[in-house]
Every structure is written in structure tokens, then in C-alpha cells.
Amino acid sequence: MIVIKDVARRAGVSVGTVSNVINSPERVGEDTRRRVEAAIAELGYVRNVHARQLRVGHSRILGLLVLDMGNPFFVDVARAAERAAHRAGLGVMVCTSNQSASEEEEYLALFAEQRVRGVLLTPADGSGRTVEAFGRHGIPFVLVDRVGAGGAGCSVSVDDVAGGTLAVGHLTAAGHRRIAYVSGPPHLQQIRDRRAGALAALAEAGIGAEALIELPTETLDVAAGRDAASRLLGLSQRPTAVFCANDLIALGVLQTLFAAGVGVPQDMAIVGYDDIEFAAAAAVPLTSVRQPAAAMGRLAAELLLEELAGESGAHEHRQVVLQPELVVRRSSLVRRGANGGPL
Amino acid sequence: MIVIKDVARRAGVSVGTVSNVINSPERVGEDTRRRVEAAIAELGYVRNVHARQLRVGHSRILGLLVLDMGNPFFVDVARAAERAAHRAGLGVMVCTSNQSASEEEEYLALFAEQRVRGVLLTPADGSGRTVEAFGRHGIPFVLVDRVGAGGAGCSVSVDDVAGGTLAVGHLTAAGHRRIAYVSGPPHLQQIRDRRAGALAALAEAGIGAEALIELPTETLDVAAGRDAASRLLGLSQRPTAVFCANDLIALGVLQTLFAAGVGVPQDMAIVGYDDIEFAAAAAVPLTSVRQPAAAMGRLAAELLLEELAGESGAHEHRQVVLQPELVVRRSSLVRRGANGGPL
DNA sequence: GGCGACGAGTGAATTGTTTCAATGAAATTG
DNA sequence: CAATTTCATTGAAACAATTCACTCGTCGCC
């Protein structure tokens, strides 16, 4: 392996000069610089970031930990964050916790070992214990899709209570009086907030909380939606609408309902969450609560970059909360009897 | 920041002993080990991988570079590869080249700087120049979704010629005599192979090559599909079927055709490629050529691990080629006049 | 009791880079 | 022309770990 010393020898200069050519070329004379650059090219020298980081004390990599890269929502977040980081000359290491607190812990430990410059994460652990533990390493972090607890760092999130209200308010306005909530794993704050929003919408419509039939699932993917729909079909008093914690689940629900001959939206309305690209292309285009995924990723990265750039103390932690938006499509088209009493 | 020396002082031992506790605990006496472990826990010591790697010469990270994480196909590949690597105690750094040769070069340079243990990549550069250049660093790599040129390394791919034949053979058997190929960027080998397969299927059916109307696109995403469909609708002699280079494009085509009132499959049949999860949930469930994405990711990682484990020279490069499989759904249901002459 | 073997622990060398005080030469100034 | 400033370059220390040749007891055995 070629090291800086080999380049120095080849160019007939000291290692310090080679380092200067790489890191601050303006300090080096015109012709020496060209000689060194030629030597680098000829030998195919690539500098060792580990040696560099050991000396300078920090790397040029950001850690990004999301719940599930199988969900296009998080892919959008990750891409936007990566673009923003790249603009600032930083690389991003993307990892997936699979909504497991233990995997989250494992990856955060990896980030700490790597001495990443900063971390963007969507916590899987509802208790906030792993995040708190990570905070002790002194590595700056920004919470994504989750409001920060206690102001230990910045956060960018979307108002999930408002989102839940938007979704269920839309359904009650269309006359639905029994609504299922396919909720995903209840240890996630997002899930709990969306339920709170849903209940608020029911209350506002003067409907009791028992009208919300909760169907929790282990995961947040299409398979979970299929499974939940089977359970839904088995209920004695079948609801007339389903609110799904995300679009993957909604697509799974849609598939199973379709296979069972249940008409959407006539027999069962569906509202999803996230408004992923595939929601619009579904068998029945999905009504969904749109989250500004790209904006969230970009803002999170920018907040982190700001914190990194600011001389110590100059940065003040902020909690940014974005607003969701309801996108109405065919899966929840207003039924006959809308705005009327019970059907 | 706590370093190994602090731990050593706290535990009243030498730094060498602390290192042994971490890396080969069996060499250390019972009670010293416990003392050291306690010190590590109390101080919250996290070892610095950069210092470690500098000394031992290689990291415990694999680089993975795919064309587009927005495509669920590559997400599946990446997840499977990551699982396999994780089983062997290696982390994975996932990056996206966006099908750009320059971004590919950039990320490969990043991998080289990081001294990653090995690399899995789907080349974006059709010429193979960037891969060849990367080969000079002496970092083992495995090509994914692309057969290796010249046996410089292992590869895992799917027979794209066979896939193209499967798709177009299915369409000609259903009586289609004018078929569009929405192909994506032609510098990708996969795209060219699928076209070759498509032409082979036409030849086999006794149809001239001019029956394949090629509609290239810049990218391989849903937007590209929508755009291509607009062009398709503007053609003077409109084809009766479309073969799309991947499912994202197919979904875009489907959306635009639907919006234009073109019936699928009656007025236009569609066959996609990859069989991503969302293909089955589309407005009209998509016929698609299924690629074993997870198997490909897993196999690629395993080949790389084998190469890393094998004592130098013990490894022989292999080119694994998997077979695709046609999954027929509603978007290509057999039309009247199937197996007959021209319509 | 002396000798060898063994186990546990030490401490210095090593890894590849950056950084900075020091050096030397050339240019500028009074 | 001496003194000062500027500029390019050098060489060694520092970074935080691993590794390995050694040391120091202790034990067993003849």
C-alpha cells in the first residue's frame, strides 16, 4: 500500500509538504505542487482517513439511523439528508434499526466507535433511554420524525396528532361512525400521537372513543397490513373505514380486502399515512396524510450542520415541527349519506 | 474524551492489559478482567476504531454501492447483503450512485479512503473504467447485478437476456405484434441485455426487429415512466403492448395511460421488470419479470466474505448467474386473437 | 533446592497522517 | 547594506489503539 512517505520520496519533498499539497495547496509553491500531484497520480496514492481522523479528532461522516429503509418514506428522508450533507462535504452512513431498540443501540455504538461527526436518528426506543445514553458521548445529534425530549438536541418532526385528526376527521365528515386503526407497534411515539389525533377527531364529531377499533401490528410493512385486514374481516361488527398508520400497511389492507371481494371505498374506506409515491399508483388510489419527507431530511441535516459549524455554545437547540397535509384520492371517496347521521 | 490510558489508570493496569481485556479476554486473569470491565463501564469508554484500524491495517466495514435506493429492488438487495455481513460481524456502508459514473467514482474513492474491507457494487459506468480503476487499490469487490468482465472479481447477476425474452415472448404469444420498450439509460448493461432478449423473442416468433419501438429515458423511476407514456401516446402507429425496463417505470406508464383513458390490458398490455412488492398492489396488478433480489444480495455478500476469509490465493473468482421468472398478472392478460395472426 | 515452565501483566514500538515551531532563502524596507 | 518581512519547506511530535518481546512470580518436579 502506498503511503504519504512514498509520495514524498518520489517527489523529492518532505511528508509535511505532501500533506500541505493535499490540505492547503495555496501554501505550496507552484512547481513543487505540480511535482507532488504528479507523484500522487503516478503512485495511485489514496490517503488513509483513519490516520487523518486520529490526528484531527473527528471524521467527515454523519450517521443516519432510520426505522426501515424498506419504507419509501424513510428513503426520501435519507436521500434529502444525504444531499444536504454532501453539499457540505460530508459523507453519510445510512443504517436501519428495524424498529428494534437493541439494533438501535448496536448501531449507535457503531457510530460512537467510528467517531462520526454527528448523528441523525429516528428513535425506535420509545423510552428514549438509548438516545439518552448516546448523548453522553458528546456527539451532536438531531432527532428525525420525533420531537426532542428535554431539549438535549434539535429535532425535526411532523405533527402526528394533527395528522391523525386530519385522517379521521375526513372519515367522520364522510359519515363513518366505526373506524378501525391499524396501528403498528405501540411503542412508537408516532403511532401513539396519531391515535391521539384520531380520538380528538372523533370527540370533535361527537363520537365516543369506542368507535375506534384498534388493530395493532408487530411491524409497519405490507405483510402486516394483509394480516390486519384478515383480522378486520373477522370482526363481528365490521367498521366502514380503516385508518392505517402508514401507506405500506394501507396497501396490504387494500390487497386483502380486494381479494376478499370487499369494495373500496363503497364497503370500506381507507386512509393511509406518509403519501409515498406508490400510494397514488395503487389498485385504488390511496387517500393519505402527506408528510414532507424530503424537507424533514434536509432540515435535519441542516440543523446538524449548523450545530457542527457554530463555535461551541453559539448553537441553540431547536424543535422544528412541520405540518402534514391530507391528500384525498379514491380510496375514501365520500359515501352516500355523508354528513348525515348513522348509516 | 476517554481513551484507553484513562481506563488503564483507573483500573490500575497497563494499557496493554486493557487492550487484552477487549480483544482477547481469555489471556487476562479473572479479577483484573473484572476490574478493567468495571473501569470501562464507569468511564463510558468507547474504543476509537480509527486508531485500531491504523494499527491492524483494515476496517470491519463493507462498502455497498447501488444504482438507486429509491428502487425497492435495490433496497431488497441491500438488506439481504447487510444481514449476511452482519452475521459475520461486519458493518455495511450503503451508498447510491444515481446511475452516474461520476458519483460512482466519488463513492469508490470514499471507500478506498476508508480502507473498507471489501466492496459490493452495481456499476453505473457501462465501460467498466471506474471499476477497473478501483481494482488497483487491491480492495476485494463483488459485482452485483452485472457479470464480471475479465474475471477480475466475483459477480452475482441475473440473466437479463433471458428476462427480456421471457417478457416479450409472453407478449408475442398473446398476439402482440408492435411492442414498445421503455428502456431507461442505454449505458447500463442490464438495459442492453434486456433489449437483446426482447429481440430474440421477436425473432423466435418470426417478427422483425422493427416491431420493437424503443423509448429511452434518462432515469429509471416513476416520473420517467410517466414521461415515456406521454411520448408513447403521441406515436402515429401506437403499439399494443409495453415492456418496461423496471417496475417503477411500468407504474409511471400505467398512471399516465390510466389518466389518458387507455385501458390496461385491453388497449395496452404492460410488462414490468423486478417484481417489486408494489407491482402486485398497482391499480392494475403488474405482470413482471421477477429477480431474486434478496438471494443476489446475500450471495454477493457471501462471496465477498469467502474471499476475505480465504488465505491469500485460496479463493477462486466465480460468476454466479441466477435465473429470472415471469410473474403473470392482470396487466398483460391474454387478449382476444391470442396465438393468432396480426390483429 | 534448583530448574524449567507457565501464566499474567508490562511497556515500548508501530501504524499514517496532520500540525507547528523552526529554518533558510529571497524579497522588501529604511 | 543591514534589518526585517515574507514565503516555502522541513522534521518531529502527537493522535489512540494493537502487538510482542520481556519480566516477574509461582508452581511443580526431580
Coordinates of all heavy atoms in Angstrom, one line a residue, chain B residues 251-305:
Chain B
L251 N -45.0 1.5 -13.5 CA -46.0 2.1 -12.7 C -46.3 3.5 -13.2 O -47.5 3.9 -13.3 CB -45.6 2.2 -11.2 CG -45.6 0.8 -10.5 CD1 -45.0 1.0 -9.1 CD2 -47.0 0.3 -10.3
G252 N -45.3 4.2 -13.6 CA -45.5 5.5 -14.2 C -46.3 5.4 -15.5 O -47.2 6.2 -15.8
V253 N -45.9 4.5 -16.3 CA -46.6 4.3 -17.6 C -48.1 4.0 -17.3 O -49.0 4.6 -17.9 CB -46.0 3.1 -18.4 CG1 -46.9 2.7 -19.6 CG2 -44.6 3.5 -18.9
L254 N -48.3 3.1 -16.4 CA -49.7 2.8 -16.0 C -50.5 4.0 -15.6 O -51.7 4.2 -16.0 CB -49.7 1.7 -14.9 CG -51.0 1.2 -14.4 CD1 -51.7 0.5 -15.5 CD2 -50.8 0.2 -13.2
Q255 N -49.9 4.8 -14.8 CA -50.6 6.0 -14.3 C -51.0 6.9 -15.5 O -52.2 7.4 -15.5 CB -49.7 6.8 -13.3 CG -49.7 6.4 -11.9 CD -48.9 7.2 -11.0 OE1 -48.2 8.1 -11.5 NE2 -49.0 7.0 -9.7
T256 N -50.1 7.2 -16.4 CA -50.4 8.1 -17.5 C -51.4 7.5 -18.4 O -52.3 8.2 -18.9 CB -49.1 8.4 -18.2 OG1 -48.2 9.2 -17.3 CG2 -49.4 9.3 -19.4
L257 N -51.3 6.2 -18.7 CA -52.3 5.5 -19.6 C -53.6 5.6 -19.0 O -54.6 5.9 -19.6 CB -51.9 4.1 -19.8 CG -50.6 3.8 -20.6 CD1 -50.5 2.3 -20.9 CD2 -50.6 4.6 -21.9
F258 N -53.7 5.4 -17.7 CA -55.0 5.4 -17.0 C -55.6 6.8 -17.1 O -56.8 7.0 -17.4 CB -54.8 5.0 -15.5 CG -56.0 4.9 -14.7 CD1 -56.8 3.8 -14.8 CD2 -56.5 6.0 -13.9 CE1 -58.0 3.7 -14.0 CE2 -57.6 5.9 -13.2 CZ -58.4 4.7 -13.3
A259 N -54.8 7.8 -16.8 CA -55.2 9.2 -16.9 C -55.7 9.6 -18.3 O -56.6 10.4 -18.4 CB -54.1 10.2 -16.4
A260 N -55.1 8.9 -19.3 CA -55.5 9.2 -20.7 C -56.7 8.4 -21.2 O -57.1 8.4 -22.3 CB -54.3 9.0 -21.6
G261 N -57.2 7.5 -20.3 CA -58.3 6.7 -20.6 C -58.0 5.5 -21.5 O -58.8 4.9 -22.1
V262 N -56.7 5.2 -21.5 CA -56.3 4.0 -22.3 C -56.4 2.7 -21.4 O -55.8 2.7 -20.3 CB -54.8 4.1 -22.7 CG1 -54.4 2.8 -23.5 CG2 -54.7 5.3 -23.6
G263 N -57.2 1.8 -21.8 CA -57.5 0.6 -20.9 C -56.3 -0.4 -20.9 O -55.7 -0.7 -21.9
V264 N -56.0 -0.8 -19.7 CA -54.9 -1.8 -19.5 C -55.6 -3.0 -18.9 O -56.3 -2.9 -17.9 CB -53.8 -1.3 -18.6 CG1 -52.8 -2.4 -18.3 CG2 -53.1 -0.1 -19.2
P265 N -55.5 -4.2 -19.5 CA -54.6 -4.5 -20.7 C -55.3 -4.5 -22.0 O -54.7 -4.7 -23.0 CB -54.3 -6.0 -20.4 CG -55.5 -6.6 -19.7 CD -56.0 -5.4 -18.9
Q266 N -56.7 -4.2 -22.1 CA -57.4 -4.3 -23.4 C -56.7 -3.4 -24.5 O -56.4 -3.9 -25.6 CB -58.8 -3.8 -23.3 CG -59.6 -4.2 -22.0 CD -59.3 -3.2 -20.9 OE1 -58.4 -3.4 -20.1 NE2 -60.2 -2.2 -20.8
D267 N -56.5 -2.1 -24.2 CA -55.9 -1.3 -25.2 C -54.3 -1.3 -25.2 O -53.7 -1.1 -26.2 CB -56.3 0.2 -25.0 CG -57.8 0.3 -24.9 OD1 -58.5 -0.5 -25.7 OD2 -58.3 1.1 -24.2
M268 N -53.8 -1.6 -24.1 CA -52.3 -1.7 -24.0 C -51.9 -2.6 -22.8 O -52.3 -2.4 -21.7 CB -51.8 -0.3 -23.7 CG -50.3 -0.1 -23.7 SD -49.6 0.2 -25.3 CE -50.2 1.9 -25.6
A269 N -51.1 -3.6 -23.2 CA -50.6 -4.5 -22.2 C -49.3 -4.0 -21.6 O -48.6 -3.2 -22.3 CB -50.4 -5.9 -22.8
I270 N -49.0 -4.3 -20.4 CA -47.8 -3.8 -19.7 C -47.1 -5.0 -19.1 O -47.7 -5.8 -18.4 CB -48.1 -2.7 -18.7 CG1 -48.8 -1.5 -19.3 CG2 -46.8 -2.3 -18.1 CD1 -49.0 -0.4 -18.3
V271 N -45.8 -5.1 -19.3 CA -44.9 -6.0 -18.5 C -43.8 -5.2 -17.9 O -43.1 -4.4 -18.6 CB -44.3 -7.1 -19.4 CG1 -43.4 -8.0 -18.6 CG2 -45.5 -7.9 -20.1
G272 N -43.6 -5.4 -16.6 CA -42.5 -4.7 -15.9 C -41.4 -5.6 -15.7 O -41.3 -6.7 -16.2
Y273 N -40.5 -5.1 -14.8 CA -39.3 -5.9 -14.5 C -38.9 -5.7 -13.1 O -38.9 -4.5 -12.6 CB -38.1 -5.5 -15.4 CG -37.1 -6.6 -15.8 CD1 -37.2 -7.2 -17.0 CD2 -36.2 -7.0 -14.8 CE1 -36.3 -8.2 -17.3 CE2 -35.3 -8.0 -15.1 CZ -35.3 -8.6 -16.4 OH -34.4 -9.6 -16.7
D274 N -38.5 -6.7 -12.3 CA -38.0 -6.7 -11.0 C -39.0 -7.4 -10.0 O -38.6 -8.0 -9.0 CB -37.7 -5.3 -10.4 CG -36.6 -4.6 -11.0 OD1 -35.8 -5.3 -11.7 OD2 -36.4 -3.4 -10.8
D275 N -40.3 -7.2 -10.3 CA -41.4 -7.7 -9.4 C -41.2 -7.2 -8.0 O -41.1 -7.9 -7.1 CB -41.5 -9.2 -9.4 CG -42.8 -9.6 -8.7 OD1 -43.8 -8.9 -8.8 OD2 -42.8 -10.7 -8.1
I276 N -41.2 -5.9 -7.9 CA -41.1 -5.3 -6.6 C -42.5 -5.5 -5.9 O -43.5 -5.8 -6.6 CB -40.8 -3.8 -6.6 CG1 -41.9 -3.0 -7.4 CG2 -39.4 -3.5 -7.3 CD1 -41.6 -1.5 -7.4
E277 N -42.5 -5.3 -4.6 CA -43.7 -5.6 -3.8 C -44.9 -4.8 -4.3 O -46.0 -5.2 -4.3 CB -43.4 -5.2 -2.4 CG -44.4 -5.7 -1.4 CD -44.0 -5.6 0.0 OE1 -43.1 -4.7 0.3 OE2 -44.4 -6.4 0.9
F278 N -44.6 -3.5 -4.8 CA -45.7 -2.7 -5.2 C -46.3 -3.0 -6.5 O -47.4 -2.5 -6.9 CB -45.2 -1.2 -5.2 CG -44.7 -0.8 -3.9 CD1 -43.3 -0.6 -3.7 CD2 -45.5 -0.6 -2.8 CE1 -42.8 -0.3 -2.4 CE2 -45.0 -0.2 -1.5 CZ -43.7 -0.1 -1.4
A279 N -45.6 -3.9 -7.3 CA -46.2 -4.3 -8.6 C -47.5 -5.0 -8.4 O -48.4 -4.8 -9.2 CB -45.2 -5.1 -9.3
A280 N -47.6 -5.8 -7.4 CA -48.8 -6.6 -7.2 C -50.0 -5.7 -6.7 O -51.1 -6.1 -6.9 CB -48.6 -7.7 -6.2
A281 N -49.6 -4.6 -6.1 CA -50.6 -3.7 -5.5 C -51.1 -2.6 -6.4 O -51.8 -1.7 -6.0 CB -50.1 -3.2 -4.1
A282 N -50.6 -2.6 -7.6 CA -50.8 -1.5 -8.5 C -52.3 -1.5 -9.0 O -53.0 -2.4 -8.8 CB -49.9 -1.6 -9.7
A283 N -52.7 -0.3 -9.5 CA -54.0 -0.1 -10.0 C -54.5 -1.3 -10.8 O -55.6 -1.8 -10.6 CB -54.1 1.2 -10.8
V284 N -53.7 -1.7 -11.8 CA -53.8 -2.9 -12.5 C -52.6 -3.8 -12.1 O -51.5 -3.4 -12.4 CB -53.9 -2.8 -14.0 CG1 -54.0 -4.1 -14.7 CG2 -55.0 -1.8 -14.4
P285 N -52.8 -4.9 -11.4 CA -51.6 -5.6 -10.9 C -50.7 -5.9 -12.1 O -51.2 -6.4 -13.2 CB -52.3 -6.9 -10.3 CG -53.6 -6.5 -9.9 CD -54.1 -5.5 -10.9
L286 N -49.4 -5.7 -11.9 CA -48.5 -5.7 -13.0 C -47.9 -7.1 -13.2 O -47.4 -7.7 -12.3 CB -47.3 -4.8 -12.6 CG -47.3 -3.4 -13.0 CD1 -46.0 -2.7 -12.6 CD2 -47.5 -3.2 -14.5
T287 N -47.9 -7.5 -14.5 CA -47.1 -8.6 -14.9 C -45.6 -8.2 -14.8 O -45.3 -7.0 -15.2 CB -47.4 -9.1 -16.3 OG1 -48.7 -9.6 -16.3 CG2 -46.4 -10.1 -16.8
S288 N -44.7 -9.0 -14.3 CA -43.3 -8.6 -14.1 C -42.4 -9.7 -14.2 O -42.7 -10.9 -13.9 CB -43.2 -7.8 -12.8 OG -42.0 -7.1 -12.7
V289 N -41.1 -9.4 -14.5 CA -40.1 -10.4 -14.5 C -39.4 -10.4 -13.2 O -38.8 -9.4 -12.8 CB -39.0 -10.2 -15.6 CG1 -37.9 -11.2 -15.6 CG2 -39.7 -10.2 -17.0
R290 N -39.6 -11.4 -12.4 CA -39.1 -11.4 -11.0 C -37.6 -11.7 -11.0 O -37.1 -12.6 -11.5 CB -39.8 -12.4 -10.1 CG -39.2 -12.6 -8.7 CD -40.0 -13.5 -7.9 NE -41.4 -13.1 -7.7 CZ -42.3 -13.8 -7.2 NH1 -42.1 -15.0 -6.8 NH2 -43.5 -13.3 -7.0
Q291 N -36.9 -10.8 -10.2 CA -35.5 -11.1 -10.0 C -35.3 -11.5 -8.5 O -35.9 -10.8 -7.7 CB -34.7 -9.8 -10.2 CG -34.8 -9.2 -11.6 CD -33.6 -8.5 -12.0 OE1 -32.6 -9.0 -12.4 NE2 -33.6 -7.2 -11.9
P292 N -34.5 -12.4 -8.3 CA -34.3 -12.9 -6.9 C -33.3 -11.9 -6.2 O -32.2 -12.1 -5.9 CB -33.6 -14.2 -7.0 CG -33.0 -14.2 -8.4 CD -33.7 -13.3 -9.2
A293 N -33.9 -10.7 -5.8 CA -33.1 -9.6 -5.2 C -32.4 -10.0 -3.9 O -31.2 -9.8 -3.8 CB -34.0 -8.4 -5.0
A294 N -33.1 -10.6 -3.0 CA -32.6 -11.0 -1.7 C -31.5 -12.0 -1.9 O -30.4 -11.9 -1.3 CB -33.6 -11.5 -0.8
A295 N -31.7 -13.0 -2.7 CA -30.7 -14.0 -3.0 C -29.4 -13.4 -3.5 O -28.3 -13.8 -3.2 CB -31.2 -15.1 -3.9
M296 N -29.6 -12.4 -4.4 CA -28.5 -11.8 -5.1 C -27.7 -11.1 -4.0 O -26.4 -11.2 -4.0 CB -29.0 -10.8 -6.1 CG -27.9 -10.5 -7.1 SD -28.6 -10.1 -8.7 CE -29.6 -8.8 -8.4
G297 N -28.3 -10.3 -3.2 CA -27.6 -9.6 -2.1 C -26.9 -10.5 -1.2 O -25.7 -10.3 -0.8
R298 N -27.5 -11.5 -0.8 CA -27.0 -12.5 0.2 C -25.8 -13.2 -0.4 O -24.7 -13.2 0.1 CB -28.0 -13.5 0.6 CG -27.5 -14.5 1.7 CD -28.7 -15.4 2.2 NE -29.4 -16.0 1.0 CZ -28.9 -17.0 0.3 NH1 -27.8 -17.5 0.6 NH2 -29.7 -17.5 -0.7
L299 N -26.0 -13.7 -1.7 CA -24.9 -14.4 -2.3 C -23.7 -13.5 -2.6 O -22.5 -13.9 -2.4 CB -25.4 -14.9 -3.7 CG -26.2 -16.2 -3.6 CD1 -26.8 -16.5 -5.0 CD2 -25.3 -17.4 -3.2
A300 N -23.9 -12.3 -3.0 CA -22.8 -11.4 -3.2 C -22.0 -11.2 -1.9 O -20.8 -11.2 -1.9 CB -23.3 -10.0 -3.7
A301 N -22.7 -10.9 -0.8 CA -22.0 -10.7 0.4 C -21.2 -12.0 0.8 O -20.1 -11.9 1.3 CB -23.0 -10.4 1.5
E302 N -21.9 -13.1 0.6 CA -21.2 -14.4 1.0 C -19.9 -14.6 0.1 O -18.9 -15.1 0.7 CB -22.2 -15.6 0.9 CG -23.2 -15.6 2.0 CD -24.3 -16.6 1.9 OE1 -24.3 -17.3 0.8 OE2 -25.1 -16.7 2.8
L303 N -20.0 -14.3 -1.1 CA -18.8 -14.5 -2.0 C -17.7 -13.6 -1.5 O -16.5 -14.0 -1.4 CB -19.2 -14.1 -3.4 CG -19.9 -15.2 -4.2 CD1 -20.3 -14.7 -5.6 CD2 -19.0 -16.4 -4.4
L304 N -18.1 -12.4 -1.1 CA -17.1 -11.4 -0.6 C -16.5 -11.9 0.7 O -15.2 -11.9 0.9 CB -17.7 -10.1 -0.5 CG -16.7 -8.9 -0.1 CD1 -15.7 -8.8 -1.2 CD2 -17.5 -7.6 -0.1
L305 N -17.3 -12.4 1.6 CA -16.8 -12.9 2.9 C -15.9 -14.1 2.7 O -14.9 -14.2 3.3 CB -18.0 -13.3 3.7 CG -18.9 -12.1 4.2 CD1 -20.2 -12.6 4.8 CD2 -18.1 -11.3 5.2

